[in-house]
Amino acid sequence: MGQDTVQGTVRHMGPGTAPDMGSGMTRTRRLAAVGAIALALAWTGSGCTVIVSGPNTVSDEGGGDPLTKPFQRMIAIPPQKTWGPNETIRGLQAAMAVYADDPSILPQYLTPAARAKWTAEGPVTVLEDQYEVVPPPPREDAETSLKAVLKGRWVARINEDDAYKPTTGKWEKTYELVKTPQGGYLVNDLPPGLLLTNADVLRSYRPTDLYYLNRGTRSRLVVDRVRLRLKTSESFAQTVLERLLKPPTEALRGAVTTSLPPSTKIESIGSSEERVVINLSGLLDRSAEDALSAQIRHSLNMNEIAKGRVIEVQLDGEEFTTDRPDAVDEWLDDSGDTAYYVNKGAVHYLGKDGPAGVVAGAAGEQRGGYSDFAVSKEHNGGEALVAARTSTGISVAWLRHDGRWQEVIPGTDLTPPTWHRDGSLWTYDRKKAALLRYDPVRGPALERIQAPNLADLDVTRLRIARDGVRVVVTTGKNTVQIGALIGEGTATTLGNFQLLTTTEVGDEIVDIAWGDDEHLLVLEESKAGQILNEINVGDGETTGVPLKDRLKSVAAVDGRILAESEGGTKVWELDQDRQTWTAKIEPEAGQPIFPLG
């Protein structure tokens, strides 16, 4: 049997269903089943009892209910006495792919000693689909034991908290195989955890957005992306909500909270065409029913579950809260989408069709020496603050007629200013290795925030996301990290740092900007030219944005992207087709700005 043989078959499954070959199948599904069986018989005739996956698969659409997610289930088979090392290792990998659904197959590939030690607990290793099993060299004792090497390219790791972490590089593992008296081989030592291919993950896992609460006022949801495995024993809605009852991933640990206490249990989930009913038990807080409703609604709807239906949450069978799809939702408020730009040091409004006037006060007056402007969320019925960096520090001014520039953070080597949604202004003092916060509303005192992970790093940029929790930091010229603000008030700490992306040696990060809660725009100067990527900070999924001119800066909010080009100093906007840039202002305009981000 050839090296590329797959030890298993793939079947489309709906959660809570079993493979169905009975009279309820549609004609299309019957034909697919016949094709799959024919392939199985063909391969059996070649001496390998293997059902091969392919385009002819049994399909089950799961009834079309968005509470479920149809998926493909691979059926693995035990090791065969006619198999050599190659088939055995590939069969072992297939058994790992189905382990969550059928844990009985994998132990049959292991010797008693290996079976006693192995556990599925631990991170899941994800490899590219095309991997190689290198056969062992000839040995005198090959009749009893030998070693085979599995080589592949590393794609990602799925941590035990369900976080998906992309990675790259070569991966290989040596397996000791023991010959059995009946023929065939067993694996004598297997490290903890599962080894899956990328196809396995695409087939059995779904990217899923969970929603928790930011700390403080708790008036804002924070998204946490995970990879959840689809289960035959429950609906996808059940899977999502069960995971929502658990703590967030490590990236947000200590930075967010929840309205669902640890005692909460899901008793049942029912649905009709117009309503989804979720019955919970536990010590739910009546004062947090709006937050609870928002967490559940967004965790279901953002994953295309229950969309457009009324969501009723019950407590022990009695109505607790009901959420209607047409209700006003402020739980993902981004605090304004007014666009601004800068012309000769003066801040202007940018309308949909071009310039829309200068802002009020000193910030609207032309002046030199001011750069890296940032605008806060609106305060006091519509007023906002603008901050800018000068040679001696960071100054702020209200965008109103009596607004005047005032230096509030002194320093000659500060990162560009960034606003928090609570109205505070932040920067990093590179000389003093200090993260600084200034709150113009609550008091004039300058606070130093603990950020121990940044002490020995060359911090070049720091920007707070609009959710008020995540923070992006660039270090040096080519590394981007994502952290989170942990705790509240004077106990706030910046931590939980994880690498998001890094460029090749010699390349450079030109600018970064938050697009929304999940996505960061990264403008990179590479040897081949400029690259603009939109990266999901939860799982590293990256989408390239086509460029026309060379850019100096970017700004974004809710899918709208503005940029400043080098040539002619124009402000551009990316059309909704994500392919075309339209000139908004030319010339002598620059640095487009949205509030926060």
Side-chain angles (χ1 to χ4, degrees), residues 351-433:
K352 291 185 177 181
D353 298 321
V358 68
V359 302
E365 300 171 0
Q366 294 185 358
R367 66 184 63 231
Y370 286 67
S371 63
D372 297 309
F373 292 80
V375 176
S376 74
K377 64 178 287 188
E378 295 180 346
H379 297 269
N380 303 328
E383 295 177 344
L385 277 158
V386 63
R389 187 168 58 167
T390 71
S391 60
T392 60
I394 292 176
S395 296
V396 300
W398 284 99
L399 298 184
R400 60 191 185 200
H401 292 293
D402 61 348
R404 295 291 179 266
W405 285 108
Q406 177 186 3
E407 186 173 282
V408 294
I409 305 179
T412 57
D413 196 6
L414 305 176
T415 60
T418 183
W419 292 98
H420 191 283
R421 63 180 296 107
D422 68 4
S424 58
L425 180 67
W426 297 59
T427 186
Y428 189 81
D429 191 325
R430 291 160 45 85
K431 279 189 176 180
K432 299 178 180 179

Side-chain angles (χ1 to χ4, degrees), residues 57-395:
T57 56
V58 180
S59 176
D60 187 341
E61 296 302 324
D65 188 346
L67 286 179
T68 66
K69 287 278 186 181
F71 65 102
Q72 295 174 322
R73 180 185 176 190
M74 188 165 76
I75 309 298
I77 61 175
Q80 306 295 303
K81 62 183 180 181
T82 57
W83 284 0
N86 180 29
E87 292 85 0
T88 302
I89 296 301
R90 292 179 180 274
L92 173 70
Q93 193 282 312
M96 291 191 190
V98 306
Y99 183 80
D101 295 320
D102 184 0
S104 68
I105 301 298
L106 191 146
Q108 299 180 51
Y109 281 84
L110 307 179
T111 64
R115 197 179 307 144
K117 293 191 301 181
W118 183 80
T119 174
E121 301 299 321
V124 174
T125 299
V126 185
L127 301 183
E128 288 184 353
D129 298 337
Q130 301 300 320
Y131 61 84
E132 178 185 10
V133 179
V134 181
R139 287 173 44 189
E140 293 183 1
D141 60 347
E143 290 298 319
T144 58
S145 69
L146 51 82
K147 293 182 178 181
V149 181
L150 190 158
K151 295 183 177 181
R153 299 289 303 180
W154 209 350
V155 173
R157 182 181 69 249
I158 303 176
N159 290 338
E160 291 177 278
D161 62 0
D162 302 308
Y164 183 93
K165 300 298 178 184
T167 186
T168 58
K170 296 179 180 179
W171 189 95
E172 70 175 56
K173 172 64 181 174
T174 301
Y175 296 90
E176 181 185 359
L177 301 178
V178 177
K179 187 89 170 186
T180 71
Q182 297 79 19
Y185 293 88
L186 295 179
V187 177
N188 198 35
D189 187 29
L190 186 65
L194 296 173
L195 176 67
L196 306 183
T197 66
N198 194 48
D200 295 332
V201 174
L202 292 175
R203 176 175 57 247
S204 301
Y205 289 75
R206 292 294 180 271
T208 306
D209 288 340
L210 305 174
Y211 285 84
Y212 295 88
L213 303 169
N214 66 356
R215 294 186 176 273
T217 61
R218 299 187 183 181
S219 61
R220 184 62 157 74
L221 293 178
V222 181
V223 63
D224 191 19
R225 172 160 279 208
V226 295
R227 282 290 198 283
L228 296 185
R229 198 181 197 283
L230 301 172
K231 302 177 182 179
T232 59
S233 59
E234 65 186 30
S235 69
F236 190 54
Q238 177 97 14
T239 301
V240 170
L241 294 181
E242 291 285 3
R243 180 59 184 83
L244 185 63
L245 297 180
K246 299 177 182 179
T249 63
E250 183 181 357
L252 293 177
R253 199 67 53 86
V256 295
T257 184
T258 182
S259 62
L260 295 157
S263 63
T264 307
K265 292 184 178 179
I266 301 170
E267 299 297 335
S268 65
I269 301 176
S271 66
S272 65
E273 291 185 1
E274 298 180 351
R275 180 178 294 260
V276 176
V277 180
I278 302 165
N279 185 25
L280 305 177
S281 63
L283 303 175
L284 301 186
D285 184 356
R286 281 285 177 187
S287 66
E289 64 179 73
D290 287 346
L292 181 148
S293 180
Q295 280 189 263
I296 291 177
R297 177 178 72 252
H298 284 283
S299 295
L300 292 182
N301 288 348
M302 293 300 183
N303 295 296
E304 302 299 324
I305 307 171
K307 208 161 190 177
R309 288 190 269 189
V310 173
I311 299 176
E312 178 185 336
V313 179
Q314 296 180 345
L315 177 59
D316 297 324
E318 300 293 331
E319 183 178 348
F320 182 78
T321 181
T322 299
D323 186 276
R324 305 193 65 84
D326 56 354
V328 177
D329 182 18
E330 297 180 351
W331 286 93
L332 292 178
D333 167 48
D334 283 331
S335 300
D337 58 359
T338 303
Y340 304 85
Y341 68 94
V342 180
N343 186 356
K344 296 181 179 179
V347 181
H348 295 248
Y349 293 107
L350 176 62
K352 291 185 177 181
D353 298 321
V358 68
V359 302
E365 300 171 0
Q366 294 185 358
R367 66 184 63 231
Y370 286 67
S371 63
D372 297 309
F373 292 80
V375 176
S376 74
K377 64 178 287 188
E378 295 180 346
H379 297 269
N380 303 328
E383 295 177 344
L385 277 158
V386 63
R389 187 168 58 167
T390 71
S391 60
T392 60
I394 292 176
S395 296

